[in-house]
Amino acid sequence: MYGNLTFAFLGFLIKYLNGINHMRGNGTGSVAAFNVFIFTALLFDKNINKYKKVFCLFGTVSFSYILFQTTSRGAVLGFLAALLVFSGFLIYYNFDSQKVKSIATIILIVFILITPFLMPDRLINKFGNLRNIYEHNSLKTRIVMWESSIYMIKNNPILGVGIGQYKVNYLDYKSQTIEIQKDLNVTRGKRGAQAHNDYVQAGAELGVLGIMSVLFLVFVLLRNG
C-alpha cells in the first residue's frame, strides 16, 4: 500500500521538477487501474481508521489521475470494464432497497457513458487510431502478435510451446503470419517479448489445458471476491 503511494508521489514529483511525464505506458496504466480499485475498496473497509482512509483517498485520486495520464488504451478499457463490475458489486451488496439499487445503477451507466468526454484529448486521439488499424504500426504489430499466437496454439494445442518460450518461438510464427497475409507489411526481425494479451499468450505457452486452468483460476478468484 505505502510502496504504491510512493510510486505515485515520485511520479508527481519528477513531473513537477523537470516537466517530464514518466507515468505512461501499459505497465503504469495497469498498475494505476489496479490501485484505483485497491484504495477504493479500502475506503469502504469499516475496520480502517480515519487516518488510513486519508491515505486511501489520496491513493484513489492520485492513481485515477495517473491512469488518464498514460498512453495505454488497454489499461483504460480494462479499468472501465472493471469499474462496471466493481460498482455493480458495491450497489448489490450495500443497498437493500430495490429502488435505490435501480437509481444507483442508472447513475453508474450514465457516468460510464460520459467518461470518454472527460478523458484528455491525447488519450481520445489514441482510441481514434482504431479506425485505421493497418495505418498504425503499433496496432498492426499487435494483430501480427495475436495471429502468430493463434498459430502457436494450433500447432501445439495440448501443452503449448512451454512457459517462457513465447519470445523464443515468436519470430518463426511471425514469418508464417506475414507470408500468409502479405498486406500486413510489418518489420520481420522485431522480437516479441509478449503477446499483449495475457489469455492468448497463456494459450500459446500452456496449450488448451493450460488456458482452461487459467480461466478456472480467474473464475475462482471472482467467485471468492
Side-chain angles (χ1 to χ4, degrees), residues 49-114:
N49 62 48
K50 59 182 180 181
Y51 300 106
K52 286 187 177 180
K53 284 188 181 293
V54 172
F55 284 101
C56 293
L57 182 61
F58 174 75
T60 298
V61 173
S62 61
F63 280 108
S64 295
Y65 172 78
I66 290 173
L67 175 64
F68 293 107
Q69 288 297 306
T70 69
T71 56
S72 174
R73 288 175 291 254
V76 172
L77 289 175
F79 172 78
L80 294 177
L83 177 63
L84 180 63
V85 176
F86 183 80
S87 302
F89 279 130
L90 287 179
I91 293 170
Y92 183 80
Y93 285 110
N94 287 282
F95 299 113
D96 296 325
S97 170
Q98 188 62 44
K99 184 178 180 180
V100 174
K101 285 183 179 181
S102 299
I103 294 174
T105 302
I106 293 173
I107 293 174
L108 171 63
I109 294 173
V110 171
F111 175 76
I112 291 175
L113 290 175
I114 66 173

Side-chain angles (χ1 to χ4, degrees), residues 161-170 191-193 201-202 204-206:
V161 296
I163 296 175
Q165 298 301 302
Y166 181 87
K167 184 175 181 179
V168 176
N169 287 272
Y170 174 67
R191 183 178 290 269
Q201 181 155 345
E205 292 192 348
L206 304 174

Side-chain angles (χ1 to χ4, degrees), residues 111-181:
F111 175 76
I112 291 175
L113 290 175
I114 66 173
T115 297
F117 299 99
L118 304 177
M119 294 181 187
D121 292 338
R122 170 181 48 77
L123 193 56
I124 290 296
N125 291 336
K126 286 213 70 175
F127 282 104
N129 295 341
L130 295 173
R131 298 172 185 169
N132 299 296
I133 291 177
Y134 295 98
E135 297 298 321
H136 300 274
N137 197 57
S138 173
L139 297 174
K140 188 165 56 176
T141 301
R142 295 180 192 208
I143 296 296
V144 174
M145 288 178 174
W146 297 336
E147 293 192 350
S148 300
S149 303
I150 297 300
Y151 285 129
M152 287 189 203
I153 296 172
K154 287 181 177 179
N155 291 347
N156 307 273
I158 306 301
L159 299 177
V161 296
I163 296 175
Q165 298 301 302
Y166 181 87
K167 184 175 181 179
V168 176
N169 287 272
Y170 174 67
L171 287 181
D172 292 334
Y173 285 94
K174 178 182 178 182
S175 298
Q176 182 180 350
T177 302
I178 295 175
E179 286 299 324
I180 294 174
Q181 299 197 37

Side-chain angles (χ1 to χ4, degrees), residues 2-61:
Y2 292 109
N4 289 339
L5 285 175
T6 302
F7 169 82
F9 177 75
L10 288 176
F12 291 133
L13 186 63
I14 292 171
K15 185 177 181 181
Y16 174 75
L17 292 177
N18 62 14
I20 299 175
N21 180 21
H22 293 281
M23 302 179 295
R24 52 193 296 137
N26 294 326
T28 302
S30 300
V31 169
F34 183 76
N35 275 285
V36 169
F37 292 111
I38 289 294
F39 285 105
T40 303
L42 290 172
L43 278 174
F44 285 90
D45 189 344
K46 298 177 181 178
N47 297 318
I48 292 182
N49 62 48
K50 59 182 180 181
Y51 300 106
K52 286 187 177 180
K53 284 188 181 293
V54 172
F55 284 101
C56 293
L57 182 61
F58 174 75
T60 298
V61 173

